[in-house]
Amino acid sequence: MMLQVEHLKITFPHATGHFEAVKDFSLTVEEGQVIGIVGESGSGKSMTAHAIMGLLERKHIQVSGSIRFQGVELLELTRSQLRAYQGKELSIIFQEPMTSLNPTMKIGVQVEEALRIHTKMNAKERKARALEAMALAGLPNGEALYHQYPHQLSGGMRQRVMIAAALVLRPRLLIADEPTTALDVTIQAQILDTLKEIKRKEGIAILFISHDLGVIRALCHHVVVMQQGEIVEAGPIEQVFHHPQQEYTQRLIASRPTRTKLKAGGSHG
Amino acid sequence: MKQRNWYGRLGAALTVLMVGFAGVGMFWTPYEPTAMVGADKYAAPSLAHPFGCDQLGRDILSRTMEGAGSTLMIALSVLAIGFVAGLLIGALCGYYGGVVDALVMRLSDALAAFPSILLALVVLALIGPGKYNVIGALGVLFIPSFARLARGEFLQYRDRDFVRSARLMGVSNPRILFVHILPNTWPTLLSGLTIGFNNAVLSEASMSYLSIGVTAPDVSLGRMLNEAQSVWATAPWCMLCPALVVVLTILGVSMVGEGLRERMAA
Amino acid sequence: MMKTLVKRGMLLIATLLLVTILAFVAFSIIPGDPTSSILGVEATGEQVAALRAKLGLDLPIWQRYLQWLGGLLTGNLGESYNYAMPVGQLLATCVTHTLTLAGLAFALIVVISLPLGIVAARYEGGVVDRVLTILNQITMSVPNFVAGILLVYLFGLVLHLFQPGAIVTPQAGWGPYLWYMLFPALAVALPRSAMTVKMLRGSILREMGQDYIRTAYSKGNSKTSALWRHVLRNAMIPVVTFLAMTVADIMAGSIVVEQVFGIPGLGKMLVTSIGNRDYPVVQAIVVLIATVVVVCNFAADLLYRVMDPRLRGR
């Protein structure tokens, strides 16, 4: 068992007392498994992802339960102990590729940053590894991009830069927090293909978060359906997709706005 | 947020206190500000003279009250001239745009290259010192900054839907400018006014301190500080009261401005 | 970048020309003839006419402007009415004093406000931050000549760290000269430093909330390394513009603070020359100060473009 989340509960202070964003969440991810978390906005799925990644502000947000990664209880680690995992064993890509990159730093520097933090590689070694990661993320012209700035790239390319930066240290688990939501449908399909490719080549486990069950179906083995901070349904993707047990899941399937267009994208794999 | 309310309120209280101090000083002071009492020359602070007396035996508190009154009057007059003219120019430039707007803005750019106190000094050099010349010079010099502020605001609202629909309904331009747009710009303009007020107080005090502003027999805070400096080895208390009044006034008004900006951001 | 440089450079020249026109015209339309302050009121008509011809006042205004401008460009700032010596020579030591004072004040602002702004933002809401916020608000409210008076009183008259009114020149060596300029520079720098701290703190906190900082954390950056490696380069961009705008205020502050400390710089010369109606001197000082301000803003504009890759090539 690589990642085991049990009875995760996330509370943060609110104007009227406390708000439970995640009430009771449990999940197991094995090596190389691709698991989807689906739910509407506000269902707590992103919050869960950020909690696993250790990105929640500890001062204000209360996280209880258990998050065990490779046998280590992440919630009990100090900040600096946790940093040894961030970007090395665990990586994340976000929903907003336009703002998730530092506007004043060159692409190359941002892709290599995890190497600079976690390894003792020299500049040349770092660059070589960065170019490898960029090629893997679908950026074959890494050499040219290396000295460019984020504003010179399209949204899809920026998301690929984010993926390259996340993969640069070959993490065991990649958390993808709605990585295609902000992109055009065609770009969306291409990014999904790239992620599939990465899964096949690297054998990396992926936790894929989306509000769109169709996108999850194109990529994942298993799916967890979340509603208002709780899991309402879970199981193999085809089973959930074709025989949803909950009305909420049925609604999610029915309300997919991009169904037909995505089929074209999904048919690639 | 709550903390900030406290901030703005303290500022308002301080402002009211200082304006009250100056306001009272326009009509009443404990002693005659110009009365020289030989026995009280260089008198240290005491119960009778809480801030002491100067080299001529004049009561510092009374003089500061009168000086604060005249500084307040000058600052408010400067704001009245600069703000009204600036608002008009800025509103027209922002709303209509075009060549005149571009010209006015270039001119104000060039003027911005001169530190305002330098311009004020030069203008006063040309027209001579004195209370009313100070008001006139500073008033005119304050126009560009208010014009710039107002222009930005009116430009921002020029193409808003509510302005367009008013235009379609045949509302006259002056009415659109001052009835439809102006009320939306008040928060920004008010906060600009607090900054302008402080700049006016500061400029007047600096100029009078340089003996180029208010001249005798008028009293002003800047002049008092200038006079106090010549006797500070023997009577350091002479500078205490006017300095305190300048600092507290600016502090109070800037805290009010801060509160206004916080409220806008909220 | 080259194209921008040329365009900005042209704008700089145009602004400077406008500055000289404003300065020149202002002193040409004033009532009151400089000849009367030189010759006195009892001068005869011929005397006045002769002097006007000598000073070039009988020529049409545009001709006089061009002559004056040509002089400026070749380093000839004209002749002082009052001291009967070239303005350039008269102003040489004043310029040294004022530019040293202003330069030192600028350095102090940077040295004081950058660390404080960073500390306040890094420990936002903590004791240090709260104390700094209050101190800042108060410091901002002290006009620099009042700060100067307090500094002279405290460090000069009470602690005797320097002698008020004594004049030190660069010939005394850089150590004593900078020490002499330190307290006046501090008076100029204090209120502006407070504003810069506030500005920088706000800018850092704004950047700290951006998405790319979350990315930085996800790669294993600590709060401190995220601040140094990611936030500062972005947070400094608006601060550079702000610092450039403070140059005008530093020059203005220097003029006033020179009076407090009795430094014979441009400010003192300006006030004296205004009193004497010595217009060539006043014009030269005005143009000089405006040039410093405009050139500094130009430099800041370029720096701003270098710092923000999004603006490069625009």
Side-chain angles (χ1 to χ4, degrees), chain A residues 13 19-20 22 25 35 51 82 100 121 123 154 156 158 163 169 174 177 200 208 213 215 254 263:
Chain A
F19 175 68
E20 282 188 355
V22 176
F25 180 92
I35 297 204
L82 187 62
S100 291
M121 285 187 186
S154 68
R158 287 190 217 184
I163 294 173
L169 261 172
L174 173 69
D177 182 8
R200 193 176 60 77
F208 194 96
L213 204 55
V215 173
K263 267 209 174 133

XYZ file of all heavy atoms in Angstrom, chain A residues 13 19-20 22 25 35 51 82 100 121 123 154 156 158 163 169 174 177 200 208 213 215 254 263:
189
model
N -11.893 27.568 10.112
C -12.751 28.557 10.758
C -13.544 29.352 9.720
O -13.059 29.622 8.626
C -11.765 29.465 11.506
C -10.457 29.230 10.843
C -10.468 27.843 10.318
N -16.290 25.250 9.612
C -16.842 24.634 8.425
C -16.079 23.342 8.128
O -14.849 23.343 8.038
C -16.736 25.596 7.240
C -17.181 24.988 5.953
C -18.521 24.671 5.756
C -16.268 24.715 4.942
C -18.935 24.105 4.562
C -16.678 24.150 3.748
C -18.013 23.839 3.557
N -16.815 22.240 8.012
C -16.169 20.964 7.719
C -16.146 20.756 6.205
O -17.148 20.375 5.605
C -16.928 19.820 8.387
C -16.642 19.707 9.860
C -17.249 18.452 10.468
O -17.966 17.723 9.757
O -17.009 18.212 11.656
N -14.125 18.614 4.573
C -14.089 17.170 4.356
C -14.480 16.519 5.675
O -13.913 16.833 6.718
C -12.685 16.706 3.909
C -12.645 15.184 3.796
C -12.316 17.342 2.574
N -13.097 10.882 4.954
C -12.614 10.452 3.652
C -11.551 9.379 3.834
O -10.586 9.567 4.569
C -12.031 11.651 2.897
C -11.512 11.314 1.526
C -12.331 11.430 0.412
C -10.205 10.878 1.349
C -11.848 11.120 -0.845
C -9.722 10.569 0.088
C -10.551 10.686 -1.017
N -6.255 6.625 -9.838
C -7.549 6.725 -9.162
C -8.135 8.107 -9.370
O -7.416 9.115 -9.302
C -7.377 6.431 -7.663
C -6.902 4.997 -7.526
C -8.659 6.707 -6.897
C -7.186 4.348 -6.241
N -4.539 18.434 1.091
C -4.177 17.889 2.399
C -3.144 16.778 2.237
O -2.168 16.714 2.980
C -5.420 17.363 3.111
N 8.170 17.143 6.215
C 7.199 17.004 5.137
C 7.785 17.497 3.814
O 7.544 16.938 2.754
C 5.945 17.799 5.497
C 4.755 17.649 4.565
C 4.278 16.204 4.535
C 3.619 18.559 5.011
N -0.041 29.427 -12.310
C 0.705 28.545 -11.408
C 2.208 28.582 -11.632
O 2.958 27.990 -10.879
C 0.201 27.105 -11.543
O -1.099 27.016 -11.006
N 22.690 17.641 -7.617
C 23.101 17.671 -9.023
C 23.687 19.021 -9.392
O 23.295 20.049 -8.855
C 21.875 17.462 -9.924
C 21.354 16.057 -9.979
S 20.071 16.020 -11.248
C 19.459 14.377 -11.041
N 24.553 22.003 -12.437
C 23.671 22.670 -13.394
C 23.465 21.834 -14.658
O 22.355 21.730 -15.178
C 24.244 24.039 -13.748
N 1.504 29.084 -24.461
C 0.055 28.935 -24.390
C -0.308 28.190 -23.107
O 0.551 27.630 -22.433
C -0.424 28.140 -25.592
O 0.043 26.813 -25.483
N -1.910 25.378 -22.685
C -1.615 23.952 -22.749
C -0.136 23.681 -22.518
O 0.249 22.770 -21.787
N 1.915 25.593 -20.900
C 2.252 25.879 -19.506
C 1.900 24.691 -18.614
O 2.630 24.355 -17.699
C 1.508 27.118 -19.017
C 2.056 28.388 -19.605
C 1.475 29.594 -18.921
N 1.256 30.647 -19.897
C 0.829 31.853 -19.589
N 0.540 32.141 -18.343
N 0.666 32.759 -20.517
N 3.649 19.847 -15.613
C 3.777 18.388 -15.513
C 5.254 17.999 -15.491
O 5.686 17.200 -14.655
C 3.059 17.699 -16.708
C 1.550 17.946 -16.612
C 3.355 16.206 -16.723
C 0.765 17.468 -17.823
N 11.627 14.676 -10.628
C 12.315 13.803 -9.670
C 11.705 12.408 -9.631
O 11.927 11.660 -8.684
C 12.279 14.433 -8.271
C 13.554 15.161 -7.877
C 13.363 15.918 -6.576
C 14.701 14.185 -7.737
N 1.565 11.230 -8.375
C 1.273 12.548 -8.953
C -0.186 12.881 -8.672
O -1.080 12.087 -8.987
C 1.514 12.536 -10.463
C 1.088 13.798 -11.214
C 1.988 14.970 -10.852
C 1.098 13.584 -12.726
N -4.824 18.029 -9.930
C -6.004 18.706 -9.403
C -6.702 19.466 -10.531
O -6.352 20.601 -10.823
C -5.571 19.641 -8.272
C -6.745 20.345 -7.636
O -7.890 20.005 -7.963
O -6.517 21.245 -6.800
N 2.032 4.932 -18.494
C 2.521 3.712 -19.125
C 4.051 3.612 -19.003
O 4.587 2.580 -18.616
C 2.122 3.729 -20.611
C 2.278 2.405 -21.332
C 1.760 2.510 -22.757
N 2.478 3.515 -23.542
C 3.686 3.331 -24.061
N 4.314 2.205 -23.874
N 4.273 4.278 -24.753
N -6.268 11.548 -9.734
C -6.777 12.517 -10.700
C -8.093 13.101 -10.206
O -9.070 12.388 -9.990
C -6.973 11.828 -12.055
C -7.178 12.782 -13.179
C -6.112 13.175 -13.973
C -8.436 13.304 -13.455
C -6.300 14.059 -15.028
C -8.626 14.200 -14.491
C -7.553 14.578 -15.276
N -16.773 13.249 -14.882
C -16.601 11.811 -14.812
C -16.055 11.254 -16.129
O -15.332 10.261 -16.150
C -17.947 11.148 -14.467
C -17.876 9.775 -13.819
C -17.017 9.795 -12.578
C -19.277 9.308 -13.462
N -13.842 12.632 -18.142
C -12.399 12.808 -18.154
C -11.747 11.726 -17.299
O -10.739 11.117 -17.680
C -12.032 14.220 -17.623
C -10.528 14.349 -17.460
C -12.560 15.277 -18.569
N -25.014 12.553 -16.052
C -25.963 13.185 -16.974
C -25.576 14.620 -17.306
O -25.822 15.103 -18.414
C -27.359 13.128 -16.373
N -15.604 12.400 -26.258
C -15.513 11.049 -26.809
C -14.438 11.023 -27.884
O -13.663 10.080 -27.975
C -16.862 10.637 -27.404
C -17.691 9.890 -26.379
C -18.621 8.906 -27.044
C -19.323 8.069 -26.000
N -20.761 7.983 -26.251
